């Protein structure tokens, strides 16, 4: 149940593009054709599925306050969380290189379709953002971290697929000249994001959440959801 | 400008309008949109990016002859990450509330495409002084858009600027609110950031027809 909830939440409610704008640069640059968009989207799912669990392990056993306890009791006081940016990005950069080499060796056909996108991905905000949000939301288990990586990747994939399809069609429409290209893409993405907001009530039952959503900024919303989650966890443990 | 030659001054002024990193080069959108619900957060984000890009460009430019081209991306990422950690720690020390608001988006400066783009396109091929100017110029172009978006979103969304109630008090119905004006809470939500940037692009290309795409 927990898994299912996180899965749908990361795809629809906390969609990387529409709720947090992660990976917008490549989203805008590579969404002119559906075929390339599919390639990049698949590569993002793949890399997120590898890096998020890996960074979860790093976070759990090296970075968090007290995470070094397994080395012995004298290490229990260390807090290395300020190093998380550099460790995460190093993991991502090496993993991308590694994935590129492995894919090239074992599946040339996959390499041909994903290959050119893999180097782009090391600097895609969605990848680092996935790991940073994983850390900020304090995802409890490795399984959930893997789930989070895959499902937010799928959310990103859906978003870029949708915008690429729309952009292929919109070429035949009569858009005002100054708005053509970039401008209209921004506005369409905005409208799609408004559409995706309607998924917001899906898991919470609706009523209270939606009335407050109009008041608070997106960032506050994320924080609030975290608090709600913590509250829910607390109550379940008490009930048990 | 006695200090800067004409060519150098162009490095700073160009990215402010006709070669703006956000609206023309389409770089670094991610963080630009997510944190612009308040003007204050936008300004701090602009300054952070300016610090990272200005210093980072100089560092990369000084090392440009000794970086092997095969691993240059990793070197660039490490330089950016180190600078961002410093910025993050400074924010946490002196303005903890704000660093909570910016949350992960400070960390995402590392993968901000403006940073990588300028390292790759400019700092690897130019001297430190010119790279510094280029970094400052591009970051300023980025900051300008952030400030414009933040200005409109905060003013129309919550009726405040930098936290001051410029339109009167919505509860006691003073100022504009006495006339029946209401805040548009929608402006605070993420989709409106996209639409505001879309409109900025529209206005800019309407004024400068040369920028229109076909």
């Amino acid at each position: 149940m927990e898994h299912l909830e996180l899965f749908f939440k990361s795809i629809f409610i906390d969609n990387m593009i529409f709720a947090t704008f992660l990976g917008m640069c490549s989203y805008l640059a590579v969404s002119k054709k559906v075929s390339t968009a599919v390639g990049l989207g698949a590569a993002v799912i793949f890399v997120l599925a590898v890096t998020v669990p890996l960074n979860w392990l790093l976070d759990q056993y090296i970075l968090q306050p007290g995470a070094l306890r397994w080395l012995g009791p004298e290490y229990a006081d260390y807090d290395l969380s300020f190093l998380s940016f550099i460790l995460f990005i190093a993991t991502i950069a090496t993993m991308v290189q590694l994935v590129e080499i492995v894919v090239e060796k074992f599946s040339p056909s996959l390499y041909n379709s994903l290959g050119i996108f893999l180097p782009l991905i090391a600097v895609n905000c969605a990848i680092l953002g996935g790991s940073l949000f994983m850390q900020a939301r304090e995802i409890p288990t490795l399984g959930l971290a893997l789930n989070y990586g895959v499902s937010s990747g799928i959310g990103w994939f859906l978003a870029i697929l949708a915008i690429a399809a729309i952009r292929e069609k919109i070429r035949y429409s009569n858009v005002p000249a100054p708005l053509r290209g970039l401008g209209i893409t921004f506005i369409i993405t905005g409208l799609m994001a408004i559409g995706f907001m309607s998924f917001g009530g899906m898991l919470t039952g609706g009523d209270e959440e939606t009335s407050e959503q109009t008041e608070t900024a997106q960032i506050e919303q994320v924080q609030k959801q975290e608090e709600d989650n913590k509250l829910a966890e607390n109550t379940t443990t008490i009930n048990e | 400008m006695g200090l800067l030659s004409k060519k150098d001054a162009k490095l700073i002024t160009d990215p402010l309008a006709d070669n703006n990193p956000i609206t023309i080069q389409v770089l670094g959108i991610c963080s630009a949109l997510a944190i612009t619900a308040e003007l204050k957060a936008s300004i701090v984000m602009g300054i952070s990016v300016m610090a990272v890009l200005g210093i980072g460009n100089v560092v990369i430019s000084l090392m440009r002859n000794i970086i092997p081209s095969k691993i240059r991306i990793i070197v660039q990422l490490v330089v950016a990450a180190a600078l961002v950690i410093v910025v993050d720690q400074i924010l946490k020390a002196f303005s903890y509330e704000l660093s909570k608001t910016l949350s992960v988006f400070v960390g995402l400066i590392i993968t901000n495409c403006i940073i990588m783009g300028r390292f790759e396109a400019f700092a690897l091929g130019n001297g430190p002084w010119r790279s510094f100017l280029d970094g400052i110029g591009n970051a300023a172009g980025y900051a300008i858009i952030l400030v414009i978006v933040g200005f409109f979103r905060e003013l129309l969304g919550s009726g405040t600027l930098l936290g001051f109630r410029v339109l009167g008090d919505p509860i006691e119905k003073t100022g504009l609110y006495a006339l029946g004006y209401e805040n548009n809470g929608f402006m605070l939500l993420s989709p409106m950031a996209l639409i505001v940037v879309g409109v900025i692009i529209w206005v800019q290309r309407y004024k400068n027809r040369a920028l229109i795409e076909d």
Side-chain angles (χ1 to χ4, degrees):
Chain A
M1 191 57 214
E2 208 181 0
H3 276 274
L4 207 64
E5 194 176 316
L6 182 72
F7 187 75
F8 283 107
K9 194 167 163 242
S10 329
I11 293 183
F12 293 110
I13 303 173
D14 291 333
N15 186 294
M16 281 198 152
I17 297 264
F18 297 129
T20 45
F21 309 115
L22 295 178
M24 280 302 271
C25 314
S26 27
Y27 167 84
L28 291 168
V30 192
S31 62
K32 280 182 186 139
K33 273 173 66 187
V34 170
S35 52
T36 48
V38 169
L40 183 68
V44 166
I45 299 181
F46 198 58
V47 175
L48 268 175
V50 177
T51 56
V52 171
L54 210 62
N55 281 335
W56 185 86
L57 287 175
L58 275 180
D59 186 44
Q60 212 69 7
Y61 292 106
I62 295 181
L63 295 171
Q64 271 181 11
L68 287 174
R69 198 167 284 128
W70 55 275
L71 278 177
E74 67 271 31
Y75 292 99
D77 296 338
Y78 285 90
D79 175 5
L80 296 180
S81 49
F82 68 95
L83 283 176
S84 40
F85 294 156
I86 210 159
L87 263 184
F88 284 179
I89 199 71
T91 318
I92 289 167
T94 30
M95 277 324 289
V96 169
Q97 291 268 306
L98 213 65
V99 164
E100 199 181 343
I101 294 168
V102 171
V103 170
E104 189 179 11
K105 175 99 175 117
F106 290 105
S107 168
S109 62
L110 186 65
Y111 181 76
N112 284 337
S113 52
L114 293 188
I116 38 167
F117 299 114
L118 281 173
L120 263 181
I121 278 186
V123 288
N124 188 328
C125 334
I127 309 294
L128 181 63
S131 291
L132 288 176
F133 269 119
M134 176 271 300
Q135 191 189 34
R137 285 175 192 167
E138 291 167 5
I139 287 182
T141 65
L142 183 62
L144 281 174
L146 175 65
N147 181 340
Y148 179 71
V150 173
S151 52
S152 31
I154 294 176
W156 202 90
F157 177 85
L158 279 181
I160 196 168
L161 187 65
I163 194 73
I166 293 177
R167 281 181 83 170
E168 278 196 358
K169 289 279 172 205
I170 212 163
R171 217 170 295 149
Y172 308 107
S173 314
N174 187 13
V175 179
L179 208 50
R180 239 172 255 161
L182 194 56
I184 195 73
T185 314
F186 266 96
I187 291 180
I188 293 172
T189 310
L191 295 177
M192 283 162 75
I194 294 174
F196 263 67
M197 271 167 50
S198 55
F199 288 115
M202 201 164 69
L203 291 176
T204 48
D207 298 311
E208 310 150 77
E209 278 285 313
T210 38
S211 61
E212 271 164 6
Q213 267 180 5
T214 45
E215 297 288 328
T216 47
Q218 184 61 39
I219 296 164
E220 285 165 0
Q221 248 182 55
V222 172
Q223 282 165 352
K224 202 180 153 324
Q225 274 170 358
E226 278 162 21
E227 280 161 25
D228 287 350
N229 291 346
K230 270 182 211 157
L231 266 181
E233 274 165 28
N234 287 340
T235 47
T236 47
T237 47
I238 289 165
N239 289 341
E240 278 163 10
Chain B
M1 290 235 239
L3 192 61
L4 303 170
S5 70
K6 213 168 186 180
K7 221 165 116 197
D8 286 351
K10 212 167 144 48
L11 285 176
I12 289 195
T13 52
D14 241 18
L16 292 184
D18 287 347
N19 198 15
N20 189 287
I22 293 188
T23 60
I24 310 298
Q25 304 173 37
V26 213
L27 296 174
I29 320 271
C30 330
S31 48
L33 299 171
I35 44 91
T36 47
E38 290 168 48
L39 187 54
K40 197 172 163 197
S42 321
I43 292 173
V44 171
M45 192 71 183
I47 294 172
S48 311
V49 169
M50 201 178 282
V52 173
L53 191 50
I55 300 170
N57 249 356
V58 172
V59 173
I60 292 287
S61 162
L62 287 172
M63 298 198 299
R64 68 185 187 279
N65 294 326
I66 53 168
I67 301 177
S69 71
K70 277 206 167 154
I71 59 159
R72 66 179 192 284
I73 302 239
I74 292 186
V75 174
Q76 289 162 3
L77 283 174
V78 169
V79 169
L83 289 167
V84 169
I85 289 176
V86 174
V87 168
D88 185 48
Q89 296 293 319
I90 292 176
L91 274 182
K92 275 198 182 128
F94 292 104
S95 153
Y96 189 71
E97 282 301 305
L98 206 60
S99 80
K100 279 281 154 212
T101 325
L102 293 175
S103 69
V104 302
F105 293 98
V106 179
L108 288 174
I109 296 178
I110 301 170
T111 48
N112 191 318
C113 322
I114 295 185
I115 309 272
M116 298 304 289
R118 292 331 289 178
F119 283 2
E120 184 84 17
F122 201 90
L124 278 178
N126 289 280
W129 173 239
R130 280 171 59 82
S131 300
F132 177 71
L133 294 177
D134 180 77
I136 296 290
N138 274 284
Y142 169 86
I144 278 188
I145 301 291
L146 247 70
V147 168
I148 296 175
V149 178
F151 176 84
F152 282 111
R153 284 182 75 191
E154 190 177 349
L155 183 68
L156 301 177
S158 34
T160 56
L161 280 179
L162 294 172
F164 295 108
R165 299 188 182 285
V166 287
L167 298 181
D169 194 319
I171 299 157
E172 289 168 18
K173 301 273 173 220
T174 55
L176 260 183
Y177 296 99
L179 304 172
Y181 174 82
E182 290 281 348
N183 284 329
N184 182 359
F186 209 54
M187 290 299 284
L188 293 177
L189 294 174
S190 45
M192 287 314 288
L194 285 162
I195 294 180
V196 172
V197 174
V199 171
I200 292 175
I201 293 173
W202 190 1
V203 172
Q204 192 188 11
R205 297 195 178 177
Y206 184 76
K207 296 219 157 175
N208 188 348
R209 292 257 159 190
L211 299 173
I212 292 176
E213 297 170 43
D214 32 46

